[in-house]
Amino acid sequence: MAASSSVPLVDLSTMEERHVIVIYRLDQATIHELCAQLEPDLMSAIRHPTGIPPLVQVLSVLHFLASGSFQATVAIASGMSQPMFSNVLSRVLSALLKHIRSYIVFPQVEDLPTVKGDFYALAHIPNIIGAIDGTHMALVPPRRSEQVYRNQKGYHSITVQMVCLADQYISHVNAKFPGSVHDAYILRNSSIPYVMGQLQRHHVWLIGESKDPIQCE
């Protein structure tokens, strides 16, 4: 598919808010805020004769991440060629990583009363500042280390450890380990034990799938 100089097909203004959230997992206000923050890093792409506006770049990548679809499929829906979308994907992800600490932040000491209060209001469990769990994200493994990525369910993945707040805001992500690595090992080798150790005197805990709160020393 050749790159087209026509206006790309992605257009928020023609969509209802509920459809925006279903497709992109974010509401329109958040998408525009994100686009404004990333725009300086995405402007170089619009200097090309077939340049793609930053908003379209962001929407296309959000669609790809939310749907788990193929690059070619998202590219067609966005009015691009697959090679063009591949470049856009790399550019937007790099821009996002530059700002990741603005979005994924573990609760600080001054946040603890509010965070604990939110969990208590939700589940009536005191002193909880996060819910922690791991999940497998399927992938095509590198040929040289294929077996390392095979998890106990028999498919290839990376294991992603996440902590979220009562309002489902993600406060920690660790995606460094292949699918064969056990959750307990990932926890021990993440920053969570150190961070929780620093907060230990505040008597705070994480709660996981085991239902037993975790307080790392």
Side-chain angles (χ1 to χ4, degrees):
M1 176 180 175
S4 171
S5 59
S6 61
V7 178
L9 303 179
V10 180
D11 185 4
L12 275 186
S13 65
T14 62
M15 301 174 62
E16 295 182 12
E17 183 77 349
R18 60 190 180 91
H19 290 150
V20 172
I21 294 173
V22 167
I23 294 173
Y24 303 112
R25 301 296 193 268
L26 298 173
D27 59 38
Q28 292 198 41
T30 304
I31 290 173
H32 284 294
E33 180 183 344
L34 178 63
C35 187
Q37 188 169 29
L38 301 184
E39 186 171 359
D41 297 299
L42 305 180
M43 286 297 292
S44 61
I46 69 173
R47 299 191 182 109
H48 190 275
T50 59
I52 304 166
L55 177 60
V56 176
Q57 296 182 57
V58 172
L59 289 175
S60 301
V61 172
L62 289 178
H63 181 194
F64 176 73
L65 297 175
S67 66
S69 187
F70 295 99
Q71 286 192 25
T73 303
V74 175
I76 292 171
S78 304
M80 315 178 197
S81 66
Q82 187 277 323
M84 183 181 291
F85 175 73
S86 180
N87 289 334
V88 166
L89 178 63
S90 177
R91 185 181 301 111
V92 173
L93 291 179
S94 295
L96 281 169
L97 286 174
K98 288 175 62 175
H99 298 279
I100 196 166
R101 294 188 183 276
S102 300
Y103 295 99
I104 301 176
V105 182
F106 204 80
Q108 304 300 300
V109 172
E110 60 270 22
D111 304 319
L112 297 183
T114 299
V115 173
K116 289 192 292 184
D118 290 343
F119 269 105
Y120 189 81
L122 178 68
H124 300 290
I125 305 175
N127 298 321
I128 299 298
I129 63 166
I132 185 170
D133 202 358
T135 187
H136 289 280
M137 306 297 293
L139 50 67
V140 177
R143 289 185 179 180
R144 293 184 178 180
S145 52
E146 175 269 339
Q147 197 58 35
V148 177
Y149 288 85
R150 187 179 297 278
N151 61 43
Q152 60 183 0
K153 297 183 179 180
Y155 65 91
H156 299 99
S157 66
I158 59 171
T159 303
V160 180
Q161 173 189 276
M162 289 194 292
V163 179
C164 73
L165 307 183
D167 60 1
Q168 300 181 33
Y169 179 92
I170 296 173
S171 60
H172 167 85
V173 176
N174 182 351
K176 298 179 180 179
F177 294 92
S180 63
V181 179
H182 194 274
D183 286 355
Y185 180 89
I186 295 173
L187 176 61
R188 289 196 303 270
N189 288 275
S190 72
S191 62
I192 290 298
Y194 173 78
V195 173
M196 291 298 291
Q198 294 294 103
L199 297 175
Q200 188 175 26
R201 66 186 179 88
H202 297 282
H203 306 290
V204 294
W205 305 78
L206 298 178
I207 190 167
E209 189 178 40
S210 67
K211 307 300 186 297
D212 295 323
I214 299 169
Q215 186 181 52
C216 301
E217 298 181 359

